[in-house]
Amino acid sequence: MSSAKERMIARAAREIAPGMVVNLGIGLPTRVVNHLAADFPVCLHTENGLAGIGPALPPEQADRNLIDAGGGYVSTVPGSAFFDSATSFAMVRSGRLNLTMLGAFEVGANGDLANWKIPGKFSPGAGGGIELAQKARRVVVLTTHTDRAGNPKLKVECALPLTARGCVARVFTDLAVIDVSPQGFVLAETAKGVSAAEVAEATGAPLIRPDTDLPAF
């Protein structure tokens, strides 16, 4: 994984406050656990039925029965709990998640999220992302700023099928941290060595840039 992606994931981990219940979605978000201190007081949730997730493990050390929603091997911590999907999604639907971190194919300037389907490519289905995006108290996205062809993922409007409307509060990319406001995308931080102008050029929607100096991660 590139250092730019690792810096993005490490920065996203700082979004988690002590005492939170946090869902880590499939893809880049599952790597967040490896940027949290072992004694950090947080309850990490995976939709396939585990609350209390420890660091990811290599196959030779893993219990093959313990996986996250993306199929990666995980470990437990003192107090971990296992449950069925009905209980897991009862937790989601009842608003018990303080935060969910999700991947994205596209994010609209109004906070719309598209992260489950690219037409013409295989998809196993919408999955739990729809529930998570609608019911978590706060939704943030981890994604590369552009796709492999260099096309922006942050757009005026999503062109792909939507997961949920108006749900995204903040986006972490390999170039920047961007907030979603009623006025559109707002640049909050930049990656080290990346200028605000470079972020704006890679963004497929107007980007509000504060007049003050921005923090770098």
Side-chain angles (χ1 to χ4, degrees):
M1 185 174 292
S2 70
S3 59
K5 285 184 180 178
E6 284 294 346
R7 287 200 305 273
M8 169 185 67
I9 296 167
R11 172 60 188 87
R14 288 162 36 204
E15 191 83 354
I16 299 175
M20 278 186 168
V21 179
V22 181
N23 172 273
L24 300 180
I26 296 171
L28 293 172
T30 62
R31 310 300 300 177
V32 168
V33 63
N34 294 326
H35 291 274
L36 297 172
D39 60 349
F40 190 82
V42 63
C43 178
L44 299 178
H45 169 274
T46 179
E47 64 198 65
N48 57 314
L50 173 61
I53 302 172
L57 295 176
E60 63 272 14
Q61 297 178 21
D63 179 339
R64 300 299 180 91
N65 294 309
L66 298 183
I67 60 171
D68 60 25
Y73 295 122
V74 294
S75 57
T76 57
V77 297
S80 293
F82 301 96
F83 33 80
D84 60 19
S85 290
T87 301
S88 182
F89 280 95
M91 294 170 63
V92 176
R93 293 168 183 166
S94 58
R96 285 173 165 78
L97 298 182
N98 299 102
L99 175 69
T100 186
M101 295 183 159
L102 301 174
F105 298 139
E106 293 178 343
V107 178
N110 62 349
D112 286 356
L113 173 64
N115 79 343
W116 76 274
K117 177 73 172 178
I118 297 178
K121 294 189 177 182
F122 170 77
S123 170
I130 289 176
E131 296 278 2
L132 292 164
Q134 293 186 61
K135 300 302 194 317
R137 299 177 198 173
R138 180 172 171 84
V139 178
V140 302
V141 161
L142 281 73
T143 186
T144 54
H145 210 92
T146 61
D147 64 20
R148 294 178 181 177
N151 301 309
K153 290 187 175 182
L154 279 65
K155 308 174 72 171
V156 174
E157 294 182 357
C158 294
L160 296 175
L162 292 184
T163 305
R165 296 184 183 275
C167 61
V168 179
R170 170 168 277 194
V171 183
F172 297 91
T173 79
D174 48 341
L175 301 184
V177 177
I178 294 176
D179 289 325
V180 179
S181 76
Q183 291 74 41
F185 292 129
V186 179
L187 183 59
E189 300 177 26
T190 59
K192 292 179 180 178
V194 177
S195 69
E198 289 173 314
V199 178
E201 184 177 357
T203 304
L207 182 64
I208 300 170
R209 292 182 273 177
D211 296 330
T212 57
D213 291 337
L214 294 171
F217 61 93

